[in-house]
Amino acid sequence: MPSDTPQPAFVLVRPQMGENIGAAARAMWNFGLDRMRIVAPRDGWPNQKAVAMSSGAGRLLDEAQLYGDLEGALGDRTFTFATTARQRDMTKPVYSPERAMQIAAQKVAAGEQVAVLFGPERAGLENDDIARANAIISVPVNPQYASLNLGQCVLLTAYEWMRQVGDVAHETHEIGNKGDWATGVEVEKLVEHYEQRLDEAGFFWPPEKADSMRLNLRNLWSRVAMTRADIQMLHGIMRQMVRWKEKG
């Protein structure tokens, strides 16, 4: 059974190749989507090439709903987006994928039934298909090469959906098994260690520039995100350099 997570239905309109249906299923599954509807697939359904290409998303294909026409596929929908990379002479709002999925998330959260249409590989959705949509998703692509693979278009839209409803970390710093982040006290001890040894080596010269050099060095340490293992290693490096110098 499909998940209970509220989400839009991704509708593949007259897809031509089983491989591309499988790639679309894989892309949807990557981002937590499992409501696929397939309208009049050229090579029939089910399709073993789609299963082979889905790479673990076979359950999604097993539960995909098959329709003979687009009217049936949209019968229970309250709002529909149509994806296209080409200009269409239609009076409809046109959104980027990001903005479209923001709106989709709002509508789904409000209990609406949303669909996103994806056209066949050769030429995309026809004007009659788009006429049934409430809004257009226009993918900003190279105008000299505007064709998107079906799986790519589904992946792009599914990713934008996940960005709106998922907990997306835009920047992380991973810590390995050897430790965690260094504390302020540990960093300060490292700074003191280096300043002391560098002072003994005559690094802070001439005297009138010593204060600014110390400040620059302290700023350097503050810009570096260090773990406790990093701190220990840097202490060890300085100690070894001092030992080597004393041996000489």
Side-chain angles (χ1 to χ4, degrees), residues 13-21 119-124 147-151:
V13 183
R14 300 182 299 279
Q16 297 170 332
M17 298 178 62
E19 292 89 342
N20 287 330
I21 299 173
E121 298 88 324
R122 184 178 59 83
S147 176
L148 274 180
N149 176 275
L150 173 59

Side-chain angles (χ1 to χ4, degrees), residues 174-212:
E174 293 186 0
I175 298 294
N177 295 326
K178 293 186 177 181
D180 50 7
W181 294 117
T183 65
V185 171
E186 291 166 333
V187 173
E188 184 62 27
K189 292 296 184 183
L190 180 69
V191 172
E192 292 174 357
H193 184 190
Y194 269 68
E195 284 190 359
Q196 176 188 346
R197 293 305 187 183
L198 290 171
D199 195 21
E200 293 171 357
F203 176 77
F204 299 110
W205 181 265
E208 61 271 20
K209 293 186 177 181
D211 288 343
S212 64

Side-chain angles (χ1 to χ4, degrees), residues 88-104:
R88 308 284 184 157
D89 295 327
M90 295 187 185
T91 305
K92 293 181 185 291
V94 180
Y95 301 112
S96 69
E98 179 180 14
R99 179 58 181 148
M101 290 302 98
Q102 288 175 350
I103 295 170

